Amino acid sequence: MAVNLLLGLQWGDEGKGKIVDVLTSKYDIIARFQGGPNAGHTLIFDGHKHVLHTIPSGIFHKNAMNLVGNGVVIDPVIFKKELENLEKFNLDIKSKLLISRKAHLILPTHRLLDAASETSKGKAKIGSTLKGIGPTYMDKTGRNGMRVGDLELDNWKEKYHALTEKHLNMLEFFKVEIEFDLQELEKEFFGAIEVLKQLTFIDSEEYLNEAIKNKKTILAEGAQGSMLDIDFGTYPYVTSSNTTAAGACTGLGVAPNKIGEVFGIFKAYTTRVGSGPFPTELFDEDGETMGRVGQEFGATTGRPRRCGWLDLVVLKYAVQISGVTQLIMMKGDVLSGFSTLKACTSYNYQGTEISHLPYNIEEHNVTPIYTEFKGWKQDLTGMTSAATMPKELNDYIKFIEDFVEVPIKIVSVGPDRKQTIIR
Ligand code: GDP
Ligand code: IMO
Ligand code: MG
């Protein structure tokens, strides 16, 4: 049996959490493969709203196993809070949640380094979520990191203290004022480690490959989005992991020939939170309407998300990098009432029209060229079948499908699990 992937195709927050939750009933295992508590995945059902950061979005289903893969970075403190938030739902987490021994740990000093790095950058800051993601992945690739499996060794505290010592020295290099009480942070951290240790640590690549042999169905849940990929995103305004399909192979230990369907998820418009180029960004009433109607505030940081028109150059690029086989379009309901919709179909790049994503997409290099569409007035949020969708929405969908040459199989028309139309 193959492993299916679900990936964000824009700058994150496409609605991955919602769709993983919708699809979980078809899967035996849901596995996160990269990112960490920088992610905020929202699920809404039965009148409850849940935001997950590190725990896979399949956790609410009775029969699915949930795995935090080796490519993920875990902050025990945030993880403990996530577990506490789930306590009231009696989910039997201990038997349903597995953690890879090879996943790296976010230490309190990683968070401090993130803050110091951002402060020292001033205006050029990345707009990081300040969860310590960059410094933790730096320690991973620098071969200094601490892994979950280390917690099973007797000398893990020595390792911890040596790494923390190094971080404290590094903090001084930044020459910025960061206030912290290490003793307090460590108390919280060590307490959270004890909670983490009550969960099951496994050699997850072995577990997944056995599961594949035994014909189990597996869905890999991406975090962030393709344009935040460390290699293919809008570098340096990106996150520190591979958010594209290849990241699922390295982040889970699953070979490329074991990947089946690649679900690519995108909003019917575009949002971005944090700094960095965003060619179709709107600074007018239309952008304001998208933000207000779409309630575009970060699920992790609460920051307002920047909003703009759909960028099909970006979408096509992301589809190509990850080999997307099916598209999922989110938040079409937010566009109800716009008399005209726009989608960027090429760029004016330094005076020449181009249809691919160039190296530089900053404002002074790129101006989007738009195709216009007639909007629809109908409220979509109560719709349950493709047959009732307005003609203008169908035209918009058809245009996107033809442009990127991949079918849109799911249209989401509201945040609730039930507000999902399968085409
Ligand atoms: P993720 O990080 O990709 O899981 O996405 P987030 O949870 O950060 O952001 C998506 C937001 O849009 C959440 O507040 C969802 O509840 C909401 N949402 C998801 N799908 C839809 C939809 O089709 N329509 C509307 N109006 N909201 C949606
Ligand atoms: P989900 O999984 C949207 C952005 C941050 C910042 C940049 C780097 O919910 O889609 P980091 O903390 O990773 O060093 O921040 O990436 N970012 C996200 N934006 N959704 C996310 O995750 C994000 N995770 C990180 O805002 O610009
Ligand atoms: Mg999110």
Side-chain angles (χ1 to χ4, degrees), residues 119-139:
T119 307
S120 72
K121 283 192 163 116
K123 271 195 181 152
K125 71 175 183 185
I126 309 290
S128 140
T129 58
L130 301 178
K131 303 294 176 195
I133 303 296
T136 306
Y137 278 114
M138 278 164 72
D139 269 340

Side-chain angles (χ1 to χ4, degrees), residues 386-422:
T388 54
M389 294 194 320
K391 177 186 177 300
E392 294 82 0
L393 172 60
N394 281 324
D395 290 347
Y396 190 60
I397 287 174
K398 174 84 170 46
F399 186 90
I400 297 168
E401 291 183 319
D402 289 346
F403 192 93
V404 298
E405 298 177 85
V406 179
I408 297 179
K409 294 283 198 175
I410 298 178
V411 176
S412 172
V413 292
D416 194 276
R417 202 189 250 177
K418 291 196 185 119
Q419 292 169 302
T420 310
I421 299 175
I422 313 285

Side-chain angles (χ1 to χ4, degrees), residues 27 52 57 74 104 118 137 147 171 191 199 213 230 264 266 370 421:
Y27 290 91
L52 298 169
S57 301
I74 301 174
H104 279 245
E118 285 285 80
Y137 278 114
R147 300 188 288 177
L171 270 176
L199 296 175
K213 270 188 215 152
I230 183 73
F266 69 102
Y370 290 107
I421 299 175

Side-chain angles (χ1 to χ4, degrees), residues 11-13 16 38-41 126-129 133 223-224 228 238-239 273-274 303:
W11 278 278
D13 302 329
K16 299 173 291 292
N38 49 349
H41 294 180
I126 309 290
S128 140
T129 58
I133 303 296
Q224 288 79 58
L228 291 171
V238 293
T239 191
V273 60
R303 292 177 291 179

Side-chain angles (χ1 to χ4, degrees), residues 117-180:
S117 165
E118 285 285 80
T119 307
S120 72
K121 283 192 163 116
K123 271 195 181 152
K125 71 175 183 185
I126 309 290
S128 140
T129 58
L130 301 178
K131 303 294 176 195
I133 303 296
T136 306
Y137 278 114
M138 278 164 72
D139 269 340
K140 174 178 178 173
T141 50
R143 295 155 298 178
N144 299 308
M146 270 193 75
R147 300 188 288 177
V148 166
D150 290 336
L151 301 174
E152 295 173 322
L153 308 176
D154 293 334
N155 69 343
W156 76 266
K157 278 204 174 163
E158 283 165 41
K159 242 183 141 158
Y160 166 84
H161 286 299
L163 188 54
T164 296
E165 197 58 35
K166 192 184 123 190
H167 291 163
L168 293 174
N169 287 330
M170 287 166 71
L171 270 176
E172 296 200 354
F173 274 105
F174 282 106
K175 299 205 175 12
V176 292
E177 285 288 318
I178 300 283
E179 274 188 38
F180 62 94

Side-chain angles (χ1 to χ4, degrees), residues 13-17 40-42 305 330-331 333 412-415:
D13 302 329
E14 294 88 352
K16 299 173 291 292
H41 294 180
T42 314
R305 296 174 181 146
M330 311 301 286
K331 299 189 105 160
D333 55 297
S412 172
V413 292

Side-chain angles (χ1 to χ4, degrees), residues 145-323:
M146 270 193 75
R147 300 188 288 177
V148 166
D150 290 336
L151 301 174
E152 295 173 322
L153 308 176
D154 293 334
N155 69 343
W156 76 266
K157 278 204 174 163
E158 283 165 41
K159 242 183 141 158
Y160 166 84
H161 286 299
L163 188 54
T164 296
E165 197 58 35
K166 192 184 123 190
H167 291 163
L168 293 174
N169 287 330
M170 287 166 71
L171 270 176
E172 296 200 354
F173 274 105
F174 282 106
K175 299 205 175 12
V176 292
E177 285 288 318
I178 300 283
E179 274 188 38
F180 62 94
D181 177 346
L182 187 61
Q183 233 180 351
E184 203 44 47
L185 291 172
E186 291 191 330
K187 197 172 135 207
E188 191 183 37
F189 180 75
F190 291 133
I193 291 277
E194 291 314 310
V195 174
L196 187 65
K197 281 167 84 174
Q198 288 167 22
L199 296 175
T200 309
F201 301 162
I202 60 163
D203 298 326
S204 56
E205 61 279 30
E206 188 61 28
Y207 173 83
L208 285 176
N209 282 293
E210 270 307 301
I212 294 169
K213 270 188 215 152
N214 293 326
K215 310 245 177 299
K216 300 274 188 214
T217 48
I218 303 169
L219 179 66
E221 174 181 2
Q224 288 79 58
S226 306
M227 296 313 289
L228 291 171
D229 183 280
I230 183 73
D231 282 279
F232 301 107
T234 44
Y235 192 90
Y237 299 99
V238 293
T239 191
S240 299
S241 62
N242 282 117
T243 59
T244 44
C249 296
T250 57
L252 293 174
V254 166
N257 64 354
K258 298 289 190 302
I259 305 295
E261 294 295 326
V262 181
F263 304 114
I265 177 166
F266 69 102
K267 279 179 187 162
Y269 50 100
T270 309
T271 64
R272 167 162 213 177
V273 60
S275 332
F278 177 1
T280 61
E281 182 168 13
L282 290 168
F283 301 94
D284 60 5
E285 210 179 304
D286 286 339
E288 192 270 322
T289 304
M290 288 170 188
R292 181 171 36 80
V293 179
Q295 295 184 18
E296 296 295 357
F297 294 91
T300 295
T301 59
R303 292 177 291 179
R305 296 174 181 146
R306 302 153 63 190
C307 297
W309 296 117
L310 181 63
D311 189 335
L312 288 173
V313 178
V314 160
L315 204 68
K316 200 167 187 166
Y317 178 73
V319 161
Q320 174 177 290
I321 295 285
S322 290

